[in-house]
Amino acid sequence: MTLTPDRLAPMANAIRALSMDAVQAANSGHPGMPMGMADVATVLFAKFLKFDPAAPKWPDRDRFVLSAGHGSMLIYSLLHLTGYASPSMEDIRNFRQMGSVCAGHPENFLIPGIECTTGPLGQGLAMAVGMAMAERHLNATFGDALVDHNTWVVAGDGCLMEGINHEAIGLAGTLGLGRLKVLWDDNRITIDGDTSLSTSEDIAARYRASGWDVFSCDGHDFADIERALGEAAASAKPSLVACRTVIGKGAPNKQGGHDVHGSPLGDAEIAAARGVLGWTAAPFEIPAEILADWRSLGARGQAAREAWEARKVADPQAGEFSRRMAGELPEGDEAAKAFAAWLEGDASVATRKASENALNVLAPLVPEMVGGSADLTGSNNTKAKCQAPFTPADYAGRYVYYGIREFGMAAAMNGMALHGGIIPYGGTFLIFSDYCRNAVRLSALQQVRAIYVFTHDSIGLGEDGPTHQPVEQVMSLRLIPNLNVYRPADLIETAECWNMALQTPDTPSVLALTRQNLPQLRTSGEMLSARGAYTLRRAKADRQVILIATGSEVEVACNVRDALEAQGIGADVVSMPCMELFHAQDSAYQHEVLPNDPSILRVSIEAGTTLGWERYTAVSRNGGLNIGLDRFGASAPAKQLFARFGFTAEAIVPRILEKLSI
Amino acid sequence: MTLTPDRLAPMANAIRALSMDAVQAANSGHPGMPMGMADVATVLFAKFLKFDPAAPKWPDRDRFVLSAGHGSMLIYSLLHLTGYASPSMEDIRNFRQMGSVCAGHPENFLIPGIECTTGPLGQGLAMAVGMAMAERHLNATFGDALVDHNTWVVAGDGCLMEGINHEAIGLAGTLGLGRLKVLWDDNRITIDGDTSLSTSEDIAARYRASGWDVFSCDGHDFADIERALGEAAASAKPSLVACRTVIGKGAPNKQGGHDVHGSPLGDAEIAAARGVLGWTAAPFEIPAEILADWRSLGARGQAAREAWEARKVADPQAGEFSRRMAGELPEGDEAAKAFAAWLEGDASVATRKASENALNVLAPLVPEMVGGSADLTGSNNTKAKCQAPFTPADYAGRYVYYGIREFGMAAAMNGMALHGGIIPYGGTFLIFSDYCRNAVRLSALQQVRAIYVFTHDSIGLGEDGPTHQPVEQVMSLRLIPNLNVYRPADLIETAECWNMALQTPDTPSVLALTRQNLPQLRTSGEMLSARGAYTLRRAKADRQVILIATGSEVEVACNVRDALEAQGIGADVVSMPCMELFHAQDSAYQHEVLPNDPSILRVSIEAGTTLGWERYTAVSRNGGLNIGLDRFGASAPAKQLFARFGFTAEAIVPRILEKLSI
């Protein structure tokens, strides 16, 4: 069946009608983009996109990413019209209302057909880069029979203007991701007005400079759209298609202006638009013949899926492929054995080095782990020996040289995890978590297993000084919901934290690791870190103090304890590698570690901001004590800095004695 | 005096010798960049840069920004060799050691000749954009006689690869900042290895696509460098000079490789380099004739400064110019009067609207306020009526359409504040503080008066949903040292917070403002917000509860109080618009607001993460109570969300009664 322009036009108008009506009913939302891109999206779904509404999670589907997530009614319309089970028309009627899966911005965890959560501008396109990387990696690993699809993106001017766009397209160009196709809604309007208010860039030239092909079309001429998308589909390079559109197309008095961007059109304008579009159906009703044309589109993808299923049955790698796509770890206890062998050998190492050793155990056993670093490979210790570089010449490689692109890296990791079949991890200095913070947040919101290896985690990095010394970063990451922030104290805890990070498929992890060496504080055995915090040292004398510390400061706490015990003051040391996991324990365990006894002084020791530690200390004797750093650091060797800022037994013991004497 | 290449070469070698020796002595640092860019920097200082070592803060000096801040020995060498009072040779000997002003990365607050703190890659160049904006604005306001200078930048591959580079150069191109000249250290090496590992970009083409001129030179040919810098100096566009260099130039066995990037050369290689360079002086000694050539360079700038001083004496605007450059606010009580008149009129408004009203009072009275928004002008309410757009056609304009460039905006604000003569403020949604977080941190570290207007500050923004709803952002910003985070509860507090933000010249401010309307809770008068927190409502019945709230939740707290009082339970309401300022009060005031009485239950109410609030609640009855949101939000109208997540008197009162009953 060939859908000619005279049949495509009413199909596109169905998107326009739903978008106008849903935004009007919600009295909130963005009609301009869905109406402007309706024609392009219709051609994409009618002629190019490989999708099967009956199987939204089919591994070899094309990925469709609405990077301009504010235009969410575009994707809700497309999914409903093509016959996905979700969203229903009832959901669309309740766009942006409590309980509807049609949230303000598209959310992958509410609707199976939505590949990723978008809205924070630029990140959809950058996640699509990760999806295209995942596709090539799995293709190189499992072959064309199982993995052979494209990633299509709809992006707006905001997605192209954000800094992350530079990182994302540079990465895609360098990696030669020819399966990535970006449809740019070139409507020359942003919220503040005409794009000329704030940009004068030659976007096509910039994309070409980054190794992309650039095509263009009249975004309201179906034949021209089909030509341009066809050229992009055929290109071996990542491709940008500049779709010249009119924002709010179809709204006769408002189209082409910035008022149509993010506000309902109003009843009068909607009535006028219906006249222009020849749309006579009631709100939220789609004429049967138009809906039938939409529903016919899935047949192409259904056939492709059935052929794929047949190939899969015959494929010797199908089991392994399915395991990886399901996000299940390999079975067996090889990891435990290998860990045990390694942990017998090591002793005093930096936790970044312990992490490297853990990777050298895990990466050979968990082939879906794909690592990388934002140009700090030798500092983050992120490259396992078994990993070859991921390059255009070898997409089977499992190590990505991301370049100096922290935000682009983190978004690509999200895209790989969302694509499935890969457990991505990536490194940078902890301080530069600031550069990719919103992507870490999107890992958490999207419930993906992305693992961030953030090294150089305190003033302990030494001479690089305050620009590079995290002070507030560890606590600020703890504030992000559904994110586990690990700060291990030695090689044993580092191994345990890596273990746990792999075992939380719906929760991303941060590993905050030291540059400096740390002593081994305990032997392996029971995975104590799994409870978030545990008693590492028990008081010998009558217990008056509990010292709670993380990471490199656990060693300091042990020294403080020894000094207190020497004075006959009993003190526990509690290591708390993961505050979130401890917070999630039952109160019986929490009180076992931190007894509800106001005669005991609780002391937190962490080389970062103290705000937040009162959760565990303030209820104790005299309000507890917080040893931390509520100012920026300084440049000097690490040991001198620890002394200068009071992270030594000599400095801490007198403060404890003073508190005990009150 | 003309310095020919035969005299420039030993001058450049002095930089190389100091850089090698200082990094070696510190056993830490980056010799590669200073050695590679020594020739270019020597030509810049010898022939182009307008500077006077005797007057590092002279307002009309050229600004020199070392964006590749890890190469800090380059700027320390230059400042010392040209005769600035700081750093001394003793400081250089103690490079990266405790107490030396020669910190790991250049810090503006340690050495007067350093224009900005660099190291977090990409931000130096982006701050330079702000400096160039400030120069053009002040030039348009005060004329060529007082303001007529260039901004020169040395940037590395990292500065160009970071996403912020795209934002910064796009802004500079659009604004036509011809006084901005960037010298790119094109050495084709990053930490991980050859740049081809991670990038294939045609950088010149990209810069041209953004409206820049691009020149190039052999970075080790003095005549060629002088030609290229001369072309850049003459260009009316922002200019990039690609300086083809060899990293670590002069170290015969290590130059050109990535090992020389960030590690000491070692004694043997230093000895070999000395041989190659013909450098025979002892470490940290500069031969007299070479030093004399360096010291001669300041004469050109000294003459320029003296001529400038003479012009200034005759300039009728000199007083106003000096006031602005000194960062002193205008004298007089016009602001107070205008505020009083406005505050009598308003009542129930969103705090973003109250902020706009405050701006309409303040902006006409404080002409150095230059505002803007990252494409959310109508949502952030950042444009005062008196402000015209800042454009190439009108640099006197005081409102910047930054485009969708949050990070670039924040860095440009830092640059403007550091340049002096401007108090920058800029807006985006609070959630996108994540995108510019490290620039906010650099505002705090650099001690500048940048004011961030972050609106849509909670689930109260409603339908846009969890991607746009800040949950952890307010608390996470509170963790940054030397940053005041204001969350005003009504129009009165908003006015007070704006007032305070203007009055902290060494501390940046964040204003977290609502989208939704809030009732007026008190009348103006004493500036109660200045103490960070204060008792807004006093208990009538016997006081059993103190409710502590911020922003939109203060209204909720007042409703809770009324419900408790109706049951005979006395409750104070404490409004805490600025936790940092309250933390800085003396304990007498703190205990006046929050009495040290364990029989009273303290309850925090804030629509964000609770971690951190225990500082003020945990010491109270039964450990206190924290009403917050420790999960992501949802899409729905604001009032429904407040009900859904328990921010109503109906939901909170029972939780309080339960706590009181224990």
mmCIF file with all atom_site columns, all heavy atoms in Angstrom, chain B residues 602-621:
data_model
loop_
_atom_site.group_PDB
_atom_site.id
_atom_site.type_symbol
_atom_site.label_atom_id
_atom_site.label_alt_id
_atom_site.label_comp_id
_atom_site.label_asym_id
_atom_site.label_entity_id
_atom_site.label_seq_id
_atom_site.pdbx_PDB_ins_code
_atom_site.Cartn_x
_atom_site.Cartn_y
_atom_site.Cartn_z
_atom_site.occupancy
_atom_site.B_iso_or_equiv
_atom_site.pdbx_formal_charge
_atom_site.auth_seq_id
_atom_site.auth_comp_id
_atom_site.auth_asym_id
_atom_site.auth_atom_id
_atom_site.pdbx_PDB_model_num
ATOM 1   N N   . ARG B 1 602 ? 10.137 20.447 66.584 1.00 0.00 ? 602 ARG B N   1
ATOM 2   C CA  . ARG B 1 602 ? 10.446 21.267 65.403 1.00 0.00 ? 602 ARG B CA  1
ATOM 3   C C   . ARG B 1 602 ? 10.108 20.487 64.143 1.00 0.00 ? 602 ARG B C   1
ATOM 4   O O   . ARG B 1 602 ? 10.476 19.323 64.010 1.00 0.00 ? 602 ARG B O   1
ATOM 5   C CB  . ARG B 1 602 ? 11.923 21.641 65.370 1.00 0.00 ? 602 ARG B CB  1
ATOM 6   C CG  . ARG B 1 602 ? 12.360 22.493 66.554 1.00 0.00 ? 602 ARG B CG  1
ATOM 7   C CD  . ARG B 1 602 ? 13.786 22.939 66.309 1.00 0.00 ? 602 ARG B CD  1
ATOM 8   N NE  . ARG B 1 602 ? 14.428 23.440 67.506 1.00 0.00 ? 602 ARG B NE  1
ATOM 9   C CZ  . ARG B 1 602 ? 15.736 23.697 67.572 1.00 0.00 ? 602 ARG B CZ  1
ATOM 10  N NH1 . ARG B 1 602 ? 16.509 23.458 66.517 1.00 0.00 ? 602 ARG B NH1 1
ATOM 11  N NH2 . ARG B 1 602 ? 16.267 24.174 68.683 1.00 0.00 ? 602 ARG B NH2 1
ATOM 12  N N   . VAL B 1 603 ? 9.448  21.159 63.216 1.00 0.00 ? 603 VAL B N   1
ATOM 13  C CA  . VAL B 1 603 ? 8.988  20.528 61.974 1.00 0.00 ? 603 VAL B CA  1
ATOM 14  C C   . VAL B 1 603 ? 9.478  21.361 60.793 1.00 0.00 ? 603 VAL B C   1
ATOM 15  O O   . VAL B 1 603 ? 9.188  22.559 60.726 1.00 0.00 ? 603 VAL B O   1
ATOM 16  C CB  . VAL B 1 603 ? 7.445  20.448 61.942 1.00 0.00 ? 603 VAL B CB  1
ATOM 17  C CG1 . VAL B 1 603 ? 6.975  19.746 60.674 1.00 0.00 ? 603 VAL B CG1 1
ATOM 18  C CG2 . VAL B 1 603 ? 6.912  19.753 63.192 1.00 0.00 ? 603 VAL B CG2 1
ATOM 19  N N   . SER B 1 604 ? 10.218 20.760 59.908 1.00 0.00 ? 604 SER B N   1
ATOM 20  C CA  . SER B 1 604 ? 10.597 21.468 58.678 1.00 0.00 ? 604 SER B CA  1
ATOM 21  C C   . SER B 1 604 ? 9.594  21.134 57.585 1.00 0.00 ? 604 SER B C   1
ATOM 22  O O   . SER B 1 604 ? 9.113  20.000 57.495 1.00 0.00 ? 604 SER B O   1
ATOM 23  C CB  . SER B 1 604 ? 12.006 21.060 58.238 1.00 0.00 ? 604 SER B CB  1
ATOM 24  O OG  . SER B 1 604 ? 12.036 19.717 57.814 1.00 0.00 ? 604 SER B OG  1
ATOM 25  N N   . ILE B 1 605 ? 9.279  22.122 56.791 1.00 0.00 ? 605 ILE B N   1
ATOM 26  C CA  . ILE B 1 605 ? 8.357  21.912 55.657 1.00 0.00 ? 605 ILE B CA  1
ATOM 27  C C   . ILE B 1 605 ? 8.983  22.569 54.431 1.00 0.00 ? 605 ILE B C   1
ATOM 28  O O   . ILE B 1 605 ? 9.106  23.796 54.353 1.00 0.00 ? 605 ILE B O   1
ATOM 29  C CB  . ILE B 1 605 ? 6.963  22.524 55.916 1.00 0.00 ? 605 ILE B CB  1
ATOM 30  C CG1 . ILE B 1 605 ? 6.411  22.087 57.288 1.00 0.00 ? 605 ILE B CG1 1
ATOM 31  C CG2 . ILE B 1 605 ? 5.997  22.116 54.805 1.00 0.00 ? 605 ILE B CG2 1
ATOM 32  C CD1 . ILE B 1 605 ? 5.060  22.708 57.631 1.00 0.00 ? 605 ILE B CD1 1
ATOM 33  N N   . GLU B 1 606 ? 9.429  21.746 53.524 1.00 0.00 ? 606 GLU B N   1
ATOM 34  C CA  . GLU B 1 606 ? 9.981  22.252 52.260 1.00 0.00 ? 606 GLU B CA  1
ATOM 35  C C   . GLU B 1 606 ? 9.738  21.188 51.202 1.00 0.00 ? 606 GLU B C   1
ATOM 36  O O   . GLU B 1 606 ? 10.040 20.011 51.433 1.00 0.00 ? 606 GLU B O   1
ATOM 37  C CB  . GLU B 1 606 ? 11.478 22.547 52.388 1.00 0.00 ? 606 GLU B CB  1
ATOM 38  C CG  . GLU B 1 606 ? 12.069 23.195 51.143 1.00 0.00 ? 606 GLU B CG  1
ATOM 39  C CD  . GLU B 1 606 ? 13.511 23.672 51.339 1.00 0.00 ? 606 GLU B CD  1
ATOM 40  O OE1 . GLU B 1 606 ? 14.418 22.821 51.416 1.00 0.00 ? 606 GLU B OE1 1
ATOM 41  O OE2 . GLU B 1 606 ? 13.724 24.899 51.418 1.00 0.00 ? 606 GLU B OE2 1
ATOM 42  N N   . ALA B 1 607 ? 9.252  21.611 50.046 1.00 0.00 ? 607 ALA B N   1
ATOM 43  C CA  . ALA B 1 607 ? 8.900  20.658 48.981 1.00 0.00 ? 607 ALA B CA  1
ATOM 44  C C   . ALA B 1 607 ? 10.156 20.219 48.230 1.00 0.00 ? 607 ALA B C   1
ATOM 45  O O   . ALA B 1 607 ? 10.294 20.410 47.021 1.00 0.00 ? 607 ALA B O   1
ATOM 46  C CB  . ALA B 1 607 ? 7.892  21.289 48.033 1.00 0.00 ? 607 ALA B CB  1
ATOM 47  N N   . GLY B 1 608 ? 11.054 19.587 48.977 1.00 0.00 ? 608 GLY B N   1
ATOM 48  C CA  . GLY B 1 608 ? 12.294 19.093 48.392 1.00 0.00 ? 608 GLY B CA  1
ATOM 49  C C   . GLY B 1 608 ? 12.859 18.032 49.305 1.00 0.00 ? 608 GLY B C   1
ATOM 50  O O   . GLY B 1 608 ? 12.232 17.648 50.304 1.00 0.00 ? 608 GLY B O   1
ATOM 51  N N   . THR B 1 609 ? 14.066 17.567 48.994 1.00 0.00 ? 609 THR B N   1
ATOM 52  C CA  . THR B 1 609 ? 14.672 16.504 49.795 1.00 0.00 ? 609 THR B CA  1
ATOM 53  C C   . THR B 1 609 ? 14.825 16.951 51.244 1.00 0.00 ? 609 THR B C   1
ATOM 54  O O   . THR B 1 609 ? 15.168 18.094 51.530 1.00 0.00 ? 609 THR B O   1
ATOM 55  C CB  . THR B 1 609 ? 16.054 16.133 49.233 1.00 0.00 ? 609 THR B CB  1
ATOM 56  O OG1 . THR B 1 609 ? 16.757 17.321 48.904 1.00 0.00 ? 609 THR B OG1 1
ATOM 57  C CG2 . THR B 1 609 ? 15.918 15.289 47.983 1.00 0.00 ? 609 THR B CG2 1
ATOM 58  N N   . THR B 1 610 ? 14.604 16.009 52.157 1.00 0.00 ? 610 THR B N   1
ATOM 59  C CA  . THR B 1 610 ? 14.669 16.351 53.578 1.00 0.00 ? 610 THR B CA  1
ATOM 60  C C   . THR B 1 610 ? 16.099 16.333 54.110 1.00 0.00 ? 610 THR B C   1
ATOM 61  O O   . THR B 1 610 ? 16.386 17.007 55.107 1.00 0.00 ? 610 THR B O   1
ATOM 62  C CB  . THR B 1 610 ? 13.835 15.352 54.407 1.00 0.00 ? 610 THR B CB  1
ATOM 63  O OG1 . THR B 1 610 ? 14.285 14.021 54.126 1.00 0.00 ? 610 THR B OG1 1
ATOM 64  C CG2 . THR B 1 610 ? 12.362 15.473 54.065 1.00 0.00 ? 610 THR B CG2 1
ATOM 65  N N   . LEU B 1 611 ? 16.980 15.551 53.458 1.00 0.00 ? 611 LEU B N   1
ATOM 66  C CA  . LEU B 1 611 ? 18.355 15.458 53.955 1.00 0.00 ? 611 LEU B CA  1
ATOM 67  C C   . LEU B 1 611 ? 18.942 16.863 54.091 1.00 0.00 ? 611 LEU B C   1
ATOM 68  O O   . LEU B 1 611 ? 18.983 17.620 53.120 1.00 0.00 ? 611 LEU B O   1
ATOM 69  C CB  . LEU B 1 611 ? 19.211 14.615 52.997 1.00 0.00 ? 611 LEU B CB  1
ATOM 70  C CG  . LEU B 1 611 ? 20.639 14.321 53.442 1.00 0.00 ? 611 LEU B CG  1
ATOM 71  C CD1 . LEU B 1 611 ? 20.683 13.459 54.678 1.00 0.00 ? 611 LEU B CD1 1
ATOM 72  C CD2 . LEU B 1 611 ? 21.434 13.670 52.302 1.00 0.00 ? 611 LEU B CD2 1
ATOM 73  N N   . GLY B 1 612 ? 19.408 17.212 55.254 1.00 0.00 ? 612 GLY B N   1
ATOM 74  C CA  . GLY B 1 612 ? 19.927 18.551 55.520 1.00 0.00 ? 612 GLY B CA  1
ATOM 75  C C   . GLY B 1 612 ? 19.084 19.283 56.541 1.00 0.00 ? 612 GLY B C   1
ATOM 76  O O   . GLY B 1 612 ? 19.583 20.053 57.357 1.00 0.00 ? 612 GLY B O   1
ATOM 77  N N   . TRP B 1 613 ? 17.775 19.042 56.509 1.00 0.00 ? 613 TRP B N   1
ATOM 78  C CA  . TRP B 1 613 ? 16.883 19.735 57.439 1.00 0.00 ? 613 TRP B CA  1
ATOM 79  C C   . TRP B 1 613 ? 17.066 19.264 58.875 1.00 0.00 ? 613 TRP B C   1
ATOM 80  O O   . TRP B 1 613 ? 16.700 19.970 59.823 1.00 0.00 ? 613 TRP B O   1
ATOM 81  C CB  . TRP B 1 613 ? 15.421 19.586 57.000 1.00 0.00 ? 613 TRP B CB  1
ATOM 82  C CG  . TRP B 1 613 ? 15.057 20.648 56.010 1.00 0.00 ? 613 TRP B CG  1
ATOM 83  C CD1 . TRP B 1 613 ? 14.821 20.493 54.681 1.00 0.00 ? 613 TRP B CD1 1
ATOM 84  C CD2 . TRP B 1 613 ? 14.935 22.049 56.281 1.00 0.00 ? 613 TRP B CD2 1
ATOM 85  N NE1 . TRP B 1 613 ? 14.562 21.708 54.096 1.00 0.00 ? 613 TRP B NE1 1
ATOM 86  C CE2 . TRP B 1 613 ? 14.619 22.683 55.057 1.00 0.00 ? 613 TRP B CE2 1
ATOM 87  C CE3 . TRP B 1 613 ? 15.072 22.846 57.424 1.00 0.00 ? 613 TRP B CE3 1
ATOM 88  C CZ2 . TRP B 1 613 ? 14.430 24.068 54.948 1.00 0.00 ? 613 TRP B CZ2 1
ATOM 89  C CZ3 . TRP B 1 613 ? 14.881 24.221 57.318 1.00 0.00 ? 613 TRP B CZ3 1
ATOM 90  C CH2 . TRP B 1 613 ? 14.563 24.814 56.095 1.00 0.00 ? 613 TRP B CH2 1
ATOM 91  N N   . GLU B 1 614 ? 17.642 18.061 59.041 1.00 0.00 ? 614 GLU B N   1
ATOM 92  C CA  . GLU B 1 614 ? 17.884 17.580 60.406 1.00 0.00 ? 614 GLU B CA  1
ATOM 93  C C   . GLU B 1 614 ? 18.783 18.534 61.194 1.00 0.00 ? 614 GLU B C   1
ATOM 94  O O   . GLU B 1 614 ? 18.783 18.507 62.424 1.00 0.00 ? 614 GLU B O   1
ATOM 95  C CB  . GLU B 1 614 ? 18.511 16.184 60.371 1.00 0.00 ? 614 GLU B CB  1
ATOM 96  C CG  . GLU B 1 614 ? 17.584 15.100 59.847 1.00 0.00 ? 614 GLU B CG  1
ATOM 97  C CD  . GLU B 1 614 ? 17.669 14.887 58.356 1.00 0.00 ? 614 GLU B CD  1
ATOM 98  O OE1 . GLU B 1 614 ? 18.305 15.722 57.650 1.00 0.00 ? 614 GLU B OE1 1
ATOM 99  O OE2 . GLU B 1 614 ? 17.102 13.888 57.876 1.00 0.00 ? 614 GLU B OE2 1
ATOM 100 N N   . ARG B 1 615 ? 19.555 19.360 60.489 1.00 0.00 ? 615 ARG B N   1
ATOM 101 C CA  . ARG B 1 615 ? 20.377 20.355 61.208 1.00 0.00 ? 615 ARG B CA  1
ATOM 102 C C   . ARG B 1 615 ? 19.522 21.156 62.186 1.00 0.00 ? 615 ARG B C   1
ATOM 103 O O   . ARG B 1 615 ? 19.988 21.501 63.271 1.00 0.00 ? 615 ARG B O   1
ATOM 104 C CB  . ARG B 1 615 ? 21.051 21.286 60.193 1.00 0.00 ? 615 ARG B CB  1
ATOM 105 C CG  . ARG B 1 615 ? 21.724 22.505 60.825 1.00 0.00 ? 615 ARG B CG  1
ATOM 106 C CD  . ARG B 1 615 ? 22.657 23.206 59.861 1.00 0.00 ? 615 ARG B CD  1
ATOM 107 N NE  . ARG B 1 615 ? 23.861 22.414 59.614 1.00 0.00 ? 615 ARG B NE  1
ATOM 108 C CZ  . ARG B 1 615 ? 24.858 22.767 58.818 1.00 0.00 ? 615 ARG B CZ  1
ATOM 109 N NH1 . ARG B 1 615 ? 24.807 23.926 58.179 1.00 0.00 ? 615 ARG B NH1 1
ATOM 110 N NH2 . ARG B 1 615 ? 25.910 21.996 58.663 1.00 0.00 ? 615 ARG B NH2 1
ATOM 111 N N   . TYR B 1 616 ? 18.279 21.455 61.779 1.00 0.00 ? 616 TYR B N   1
ATOM 112 C CA  . TYR B 1 616 ? 17.445 22.321 62.607 1.00 0.00 ? 616 TYR B CA  1
ATOM 113 C C   . TYR B 1 616 ? 16.329 21.600 63.338 1.00 0.00 ? 616 TYR B C   1
ATOM 114 O O   . TYR B 1 616 ? 15.631 22.197 64.143 1.00 0.00 ? 616 TYR B O   1
ATOM 115 C CB  . TYR B 1 616 ? 16.883 23.468 61.756 1.00 0.00 ? 616 TYR B CB  1
ATOM 116 C CG  . TYR B 1 616 ? 17.995 24.362 61.275 1.00 0.00 ? 616 TYR B CG  1
ATOM 117 C CD1 . TYR B 1 616 ? 18.362 24.415 59.943 1.00 0.00 ? 616 TYR B CD1 1
ATOM 118 C CD2 . TYR B 1 616 ? 18.728 25.114 62.199 1.00 0.00 ? 616 TYR B CD2 1
ATOM 119 C CE1 . TYR B 1 616 ? 19.419 25.200 59.530 1.00 0.00 ? 616 TYR B CE1 1
ATOM 120 C CE2 . TYR B 1 616 ? 19.791 25.905 61.789 1.00 0.00 ? 616 TYR B CE2 1
ATOM 121 C CZ  . TYR B 1 616 ? 20.130 25.938 60.460 1.00 0.00 ? 616 TYR B CZ  1
ATOM 122 O OH  . TYR B 1 616 ? 21.183 26.713 60.057 1.00 0.00 ? 616 TYR B OH  1
ATOM 123 N N   . THR B 1 617 ? 16.140 20.334 63.048 1.00 0.00 ? 617 THR B N   1
ATOM 124 C CA  . THR B 1 617 ? 15.000 19.643 63.658 1.00 0.00 ? 617 THR B CA  1
ATOM 125 C C   . THR B 1 617 ? 15.388 18.475 64.555 1.00 0.00 ? 617 THR B C   1
ATOM 126 O O   . THR B 1 617 ? 14.683 18.188 65.516 1.00 0.00 ? 617 THR B O   1
ATOM 127 C CB  . THR B 1 617 ? 14.067 19.079 62.560 1.00 0.00 ? 617 THR B CB  1
ATOM 128 O OG1 . THR B 1 617 ? 14.828 18.189 61.725 1.00 0.00 ? 617 THR B OG1 1
ATOM 129 C CG2 . THR B 1 617 ? 13.480 20.196 61.725 1.00 0.00 ? 617 THR B CG2 1
ATOM 130 N N   . ALA B 1 618 ? 16.505 17.790 64.246 1.00 0.00 ? 618 ALA B N   1
ATOM 131 C CA  . ALA B 1 618 ? 16.758 16.498 64.893 1.00 0.00 ? 618 ALA B CA  1
ATOM 132 C C   . ALA B 1 618 ? 16.978 16.625 66.397 1.00 0.00 ? 618 ALA B C   1
ATOM 133 O O   . ALA B 1 618 ? 16.716 15.668 67.139 1.00 0.00 ? 618 ALA B O   1
ATOM 134 C CB  . ALA B 1 618 ? 17.953 15.798 64.235 1.00 0.00 ? 618 ALA B CB  1
ATOM 135 N N   . VAL B 1 619 ? 17.466 17.785 66.843 1.00 0.00 ? 619 VAL B N   1
ATOM 136 C CA  . VAL B 1 619 ? 17.711 17.908 68.280 1.00 0.00 ? 619 VAL B CA  1
ATOM 137 C C   . VAL B 1 619 ? 16.419 18.093 69.063 1.00 0.00 ? 619 VAL B C   1
ATOM 138 O O   . VAL B 1 619 ? 16.439 18.090 70.289 1.00 0.00 ? 619 VAL B O   1
ATOM 139 C CB  . VAL B 1 619 ? 18.641 19.104 68.608 1.00 0.00 ? 619 VAL B CB  1
ATOM 140 C CG1 . VAL B 1 619 ? 20.021 18.872 68.020 1.00 0.00 ? 619 VAL B CG1 1
ATOM 141 C CG2 . VAL B 1 619 ? 18.051 20.417 68.113 1.00 0.00 ? 619 VAL B CG2 1
ATOM 142 N N   . SER B 1 620 ? 15.284 18.253 68.379 1.00 0.00 ? 620 SER B N   1
ATOM 143 C CA  . SER B 1 620 ? 14.058 18.580 69.101 1.00 0.00 ? 620 SER B CA  1
ATOM 144 C C   . SER B 1 620 ? 13.306 17.320 69.509 1.00 0.00 ? 620 SER B C   1
ATOM 145 O O   . SER B 1 620 ? 13.755 16.194 69.293 1.00 0.00 ? 620 SER B O   1
ATOM 146 C CB  . SER B 1 620 ? 13.177 19.491 68.247 1.00 0.00 ? 620 SER B CB  1
ATOM 147 O OG  . SER B 1 620 ? 12.488 18.761 67.265 1.00 0.00 ? 620 SER B OG  1
ATOM 148 N N   . ARG B 1 621 ? 12.162 17.513 70.096 1.00 0.00 ? 621 ARG B N   1
ATOM 149 C CA  . ARG B 1 621 ? 11.330 16.443 70.653 1.00 0.00 ? 621 ARG B CA  1
ATOM 150 C C   . ARG B 1 621 ? 11.187 15.255 69.702 1.00 0.00 ? 621 ARG B C   1
ATOM 151 O O   . ARG B 1 621 ? 10.812 15.420 68.549 1.00 0.00 ? 621 ARG B O   1
ATOM 152 C CB  . ARG B 1 621 ? 9.949  17.050 70.941 1.00 0.00 ? 621 ARG B CB  1
ATOM 153 C CG  . ARG B 1 621 ? 8.967  16.099 71.559 1.00 0.00 ? 621 ARG B CG  1
ATOM 154 C CD  . ARG B 1 621 ? 7.804  16.917 72.067 1.00 0.00 ? 621 ARG B CD  1
ATOM 155 N NE  . ARG B 1 621 ? 6.704  16.095 72.497 1.00 0.00 ? 621 ARG B NE  1
ATOM 156 C CZ  . ARG B 1 621 ? 5.680  16.574 73.188 1.00 0.00 ? 621 ARG B CZ  1
ATOM 157 N NH1 . ARG B 1 621 ? 5.641  17.866 73.501 1.00 0.00 ? 621 ARG B NH1 1
ATOM 158 N NH2 . ARG B 1 621 ? 4.701  15.794 73.547 1.00 0.00 ? 621 ARG B NH2 1
#
